[in-house]
Every structure is written in structure tokens, then in C-alpha cells.
Amino acid sequence: MLIKRALIVAVAAFLLLSCRAGELKRYNRSGSAMGTSLTVIFFTDDSKRANEIMDELFILADDLENRLSTKKAESILSELNSKRELVIKDKVVLETIKESIELAKVTDGRFDPSLYHLIKLWDIENNSAVPGEEAIKDRLSHRGVEGIIIDGNHVRLENNIKLDLGAIAKGKIIDELARRLQERYHIDNFLINGGGDIRLGGRYGGLRKWKVAVADPYNNGEIIGLIELENCSIVTSGNYERYFIDEKGDRYHHIIDPETGYPSQSGVDSVTVISDSTSRSDALATALFIMGSEAGLAFAEKQKDTEAIFITKVDNKIEIKQTERIKSTLNNEKKWNFTLE
Ligand code: AMP
Ligand code: MG
């Protein structure tokens, strides 16, 4: 009996040890999802399931996009926009709407999920003409989160507003992918990058911090530096990807200032926000871009666990400003190394 018990203990100890010794292998996949590129990297010792897990994540990203995007006529969001009131049983969609309202309040309406009409009027991706002033004024009168009335899971839109969650949905989808990895598969070391919205789980291979590139807003495809991070979300909003230039040479980009109805002219060209959630970093990056570097920095310093890097050009010289916890040094290749204290 004693021998049997000792054997069981020995076998259990062996299993425990072999589990510990199980080597974490890196798996990665890139593809398209959410109207952009999606890259997933994770570390696991479960080689048999890695491919299946990847398949599942890419399917989940498409599925969430189909529920949240106003670009999809069949989405729950599109249904809400057209019917004006809807019982929303979809937890993620309802949560995203509620979170948007919170973030709109926190940012004093700079991030505004009710800008659908204005965004459609500008239609930056397909248009290259500046809309008329009257049309802009008209669309500005149909916005504001006061028009979103939520009672349980019943959502009603007032004041003829419609929702566009383009500045937060990608972040939310990435958070859901991360949740799936952690809760269902117990994978804690991962990176999910959806078109520049990045969630970092744990560390690279469980060992060292992740190194994330910060894009150079003035040179396509180049980077301005690298930032070392662990277990957080980092999102950049910039004016250098989606825009058109009019005949006078003025640039009109996709981040609309809800005060003016025009693309934000805060002088900032790129804002990177780091926080503990991708949806929050996503919405805040948009809001801080509009606030500009001075007000944006003051705002970020006041928020708990929220860091930001602003890139601007003053007299043709690049200026980088960041919250106090972010330290930076210039390396031999004239790129910045950022670290978080
Ligand atoms: P992002 O790339 O995260 O900065 O989000 C930009 C997208 O969010 C745009 O393409 C619009 O769909 C939407 N958007 C633009 N301006 C705002 C704003 N002030 N508040 C909320 N969403 C916005
Ligand atoms: Mg955003």
C-alpha cells in the first residue's frame, strides 16, 4: 500500500516536472481580419493544438467584426443604427457601447462614438473633396452620447444620431481574442497586432519584455524607435495612413474633431497610448490626438495606468513628448529606445 502510494506521488511529481520542463514554443500567424492585417504570436507547449487555436482566433476576429462594424450592413450595430432601438443580447456589443459612452465622458467628448453622420459625410477612404460648411454644421447637430439611452439590454438612439465604433472596436476585438487565449487555453505569453492596435500578454517566451516598434509618421514603413513592454496594450493613432490632400496641399485625415466637424488640427501627427486594455488605448489614442500634445499629456498624467507618446513637428524638427514614466534614449542608429519605469 505504502509502495503504491509512493509510486503515485512519484508519478505525480514526474508529471509536474515534465509539465514544467515542457518547452514553450513560439507560434505565429498573419492574415487579414477587421479590414486590416492581423498578426498573432503566442508561446505554448501544446504543439498539437496551436494550429487549431490560431484558426479559432482568426474566425473569432471575423465574427466580432461582423457584429461590431458599421461597414457591415448585417452587423448588430447597423441594425441598431437603422431601427434606432434594439434589444442587444450580444454581451460584447453591449459592453463596447457602454465603454464608448464612458470614454466619451472621460475625454470630454473628444472621443465620440456618435459621429457616424459626420464620418460618413467626410468618407475619407473614398472621397477627396471637402464637404460644404452647411452639411458639416448639420451633421454636428446630430451627435453626442446623451443621445444613447440604455436600459438593461435595450438601447435607443435619440436626436437622430447613429453610432460609429471605428475608434474602439478593433481594440475591443483584440481584447476578446486575448481573453480567449488566456481563459480557454491558459496561454499568457502572446502578442496580438490588429493593424497597429497591439495587446501584449505576459512576456516574449515568458522571459523578456516585448519590443514594439513605434512608426515614424513622416517616413512610410520606417520606425522612430522601439518600446519595451509587458502585459499591456499599446495603440497608435496617426494622420499618416488614411487621408487625402486637396488642391491647396492641405491634408484631411480620418480623425474628426467633434468640436469643429473637421479633421483635427491639433498639430500632433501621431499619438501612442499604453494602458491595460486595448479598447481603452484605442479610444484614448483618438481622443488624445484631438487634444494635442499639451492637453493630451496633462490628461494622460492624470489617468491611472495610462502612458502616452506624442510626435509632432515644430519648425520642421521632430518633437517627441511623453508621460513621465516613459524614459527614452537615442541609440547608435538614431532610433529611440523607450522603456516604462
Ligand atoms: P483610430 O484609427 O482608432 O484613431 O480611429 C479612427 C476612426 O474612428 C475613424 O476612421 C472613424 O471611423 C472614427 N472616428 C473619427 N473621429 C472620431 C472621434 N473624434 N471619436 C470617435 N471616433 C472617431
Ligand atoms: Mg482609436
Side-chain angles (χ1 to χ4, degrees), residues 66-79:
N66 287 336
R67 283 140 67 184
L68 277 166
S69 174
T70 42
K71 288 186 187 138
K72 309 269 175 180
E74 306 296 315
S75 75
I76 297 169
L77 245 286
S78 296
E79 193 182 352

Side-chain angles (χ1 to χ4, degrees), residues 96-110:
T96 314
I97 297 173
K98 285 183 180 169
E99 212 179 311
S100 303
I101 297 172
E102 282 302 305
L103 286 159
K105 287 179 181 161
V106 171
T107 61
D108 219 0
R110 261 53 158 257

Side-chain angles (χ1 to χ4, degrees), residues 10 12 16-17 24 48 62 64 86 106 123 145 215 219 265 300 302:
L16 201 71
L17 278 177
L24 286 181
K48 284 201 198 98
D62 280 344
L64 288 164
L86 196 66
V106 171
D123 194 12
V145 291
N219 292 297
Q265 299 285 345
K302 270 197 240 143

Side-chain angles (χ1 to χ4, degrees), residues 111 166-169 197 235-237 255 279-287:
F111 163 79
I168 189 173
D197 283 29
V235 177
T236 298
S237 267
I255 301 171
S279 53
R280 185 179 149 82
S281 292
D282 195 357
L284 288 186
T286 308

